[in-house]
Amino acid sequence: MRDELDGARALLPGARLDDPERLGSSERSAVWRVRAQWPDTPETRVIVKCFADAGEWWMREAAALAIMPDDAPAARQIAESAHPPIVVMTDAGAGPSVADALLGSDAQEASDAVAQWAGAVATLHRSTLESRERFRAALGQRSGEVLLSESRMSATVDEAAHRLEEHCTNLDVSVPPHALRELRDVPRQLNGEAAAALSPDDACPEDNVRQGERLILVDFEGAQWRHVAWDVAYLSVPWPTCWCSWRMPSDVGERALERYRATIEEALPYVREPQFRHDIAAAGVAWQLISTSWFLADALTDDPPAEDPTRPTPTRRAMILHRLDGARRSTDLPAVAELAERLRAHLVTRWGEVPLAFAPAFEEPG
């Protein structure tokens, strides 16, 4: 941590930085909570996020936090540096996350936490609806000659389509005509021209801090500008990018969706229109296929258990079959639905039916 602290000290002249506490790490970054003391000011805590390089993930997080509105439920940037690649931000605290509530035993608390998550996402969206040009400019300032799109969804879906085609070829599953084109069309339908806002990209139930009635979203490494339905669809998949993607009772998702609508409808009346449901459904089907493309390779081998045995998580096979079951029911994307049907049928012959369990908090006693 010495090198990282030295970099943070250079960004915070006059501050004494002590007691680093490692909060998490990945191949892209490491996050530390540090005690900061400036002369003649009360002691405080700051978050120092150190990136492996000053590439896309640093650029996106630094740009997003730099333009974050005051009323957005997110950390505030204090300082940043590309050399070394660091972002220093305010500390959201050490409260529990939505994932902690899902892992617990109180169904009402878990339902409240999911609704709280939806309200926070809606507040972020509401506060950034007019921020597209600012985010685009902030990205441009940090990326220089690197071509960095404000949105990654077209590339993400295109990548998923390629992987799915390869998987289906290897499994001898025929891909219906137009299915992959239909999938690739979803980002074009859900473009950034209308009902779009800043997204953290991966609003996993783990990436937040709950403090009473407040929920603060953390981790903006993948921040992008995209249609709000991409984030709202997390409630119906559910949680496409996260380890804690158990099922939830339908009324929990509906309650959270209503919280989202009530929070943002004055600024974005579209969320009360029938089209909003269709857009959430399209984004949800896309997420179901995207995440299947990510997880299928491991699931076809030995479906490895969770890396942390103390933290329960669904198996990849259960997640995939549940997601393909959802996608095959789509009426708006019929060719994608047929692809999901064929792929799921093939996988069931290999694995049998592997049901996806409810999150622990929603399991029936006994």
Side-chain angles (χ1 to χ4, degrees):
M1 180 55 186
R2 168 56 57 181
D3 290 344
E4 288 85 351
L5 270 187
D6 286 346
R9 287 190 184 98
L11 289 173
L12 305 173
R16 177 177 176 178
L17 303 182
D18 295 302
D19 297 339
E21 173 191 0
R22 194 181 187 105
L23 300 181
S25 63
S26 68
E27 62 183 17
R28 299 197 299 237
S29 62
V31 183
W32 303 82
R33 175 179 287 121
V34 179
R35 186 176 68 188
Q37 178 74 63
W38 280 267
D40 304 320
T41 61
E43 176 184 298
T44 188
R45 299 273 176 174
V46 300
I47 300 299
V48 178
K49 191 164 188 179
C50 309
F51 291 79
D53 56 54
E56 179 175 0
W57 311 114
W58 172 83
M59 294 174 192
R60 289 189 179 278
E61 181 135 33
L65 295 186
I67 63 103
M68 194 66 67
D70 290 341
D71 59 342
R76 297 291 174 269
Q77 187 183 100
I78 298 173
E80 66 174 85
S81 166
H83 306 289
I86 294 174
V87 175
V88 182
M89 65 192 84
T90 56
D91 183 10
S97 68
V98 175
D100 292 325
L102 293 172
L103 277 172
S105 57
D106 188 329
Q108 187 60 54
E109 181 188 353
S111 179
D112 290 346
V114 174
Q116 202 175 15
W117 175 92
V121 170
T123 302
L124 173 67
H125 289 170
R126 184 185 65 200
S127 67
T128 59
L129 285 170
E130 306 299 327
S131 298
R132 184 179 189 179
E133 293 305 321
R134 293 182 64 216
F135 180 58
R136 180 184 290 169
L139 274 181
Q141 289 168 6
R142 289 157 181 82
S143 61
E145 296 181 358
V146 177
L147 294 178
L148 195 60
S149 173
E150 66 192 40
S151 175
R152 299 171 57 238
M153 291 315 302
S154 289
T156 297
V157 172
D158 191 54
E159 227 173 78
H162 279 298
R163 288 181 182 174
L164 286 169
E165 189 170 32
E166 289 177 0
H167 284 310
C168 287
T169 298
N170 294 336
L171 295 171
D172 199 24
V173 173
S174 62
V175 177
H178 312 307
L180 298 180
R181 186 176 68 190
E182 196 174 76
L183 178 61
R184 288 186 173 102
D185 277 344
V186 174
R188 286 190 279 273
Q189 297 167 18
L190 304 178
N191 60 49
E193 298 299 326
L198 183 67
S199 168
D201 178 48
D202 184 12
C204 176
E206 186 180 39
D207 293 333
N208 54 75
V209 177
R210 298 172 62 214
Q211 296 180 335
E213 295 302 311
R214 297 180 68 237
L215 183 145
I216 305 300
L217 299 167
V218 299
D219 190 358
F220 282 75
E221 284 183 12
Q224 58 179 305
W225 186 263
R226 67 186 183 191
H227 195 288
V228 298
W230 289 109
D231 287 342
V232 180
Y234 267 47
L235 293 168
S236 59
V237 176
W239 320 120
T241 62
C242 190
W243 56 268
C244 53
S245 51
W246 300 278
R247 290 169 61 199
M248 297 191 300
S250 59
D251 63 311
V252 172
E254 283 299 316
R255 180 186 174 209
L257 176 59
E258 182 53 34
R259 175 76 168 269
Y260 179 90
R261 283 170 150 168
T263 303
I264 199 174
E265 64 181 329
E266 186 174 346
L268 192 64
Y270 146 81
V271 300
R272 291 293 180 189
E273 297 173 5
Q275 185 60 41
F276 184 47
R277 286 273 188 182
H278 287 283
D279 291 342
I280 294 171
V285 171
W287 278 128
Q288 287 159 342
L289 272 293
I290 291 166
S291 55
T292 293
S293 79
W294 291 338
F295 300 142
L296 187 53
D298 282 346
L300 286 169
T301 54
D302 58 357
D303 202 12
E307 294 180 6
D308 182 354
T310 67
R311 187 176 69 174
T313 185
T315 68
R316 297 282 172 84
R317 291 176 182 178
M319 286 191 294
I320 288 170
L321 293 183
H322 181 262
R323 291 171 186 187
L324 291 176
D325 184 56
R328 69 176 176 163
R329 300 174 190 276
S330 172
T331 56
D332 292 336
L333 301 170
V336 171
E338 180 60 27
L339 170 59
E341 174 68 45
R342 294 180 188 182
L343 181 54
R344 189 180 191 281
H346 176 88
L347 295 175
V348 168
T349 64
R350 297 172 68 106
W351 304 334
E353 287 286 358
V354 187
L356 180 65
F358 282 99
F362 300 121
E363 290 179 345
E364 292 292 333

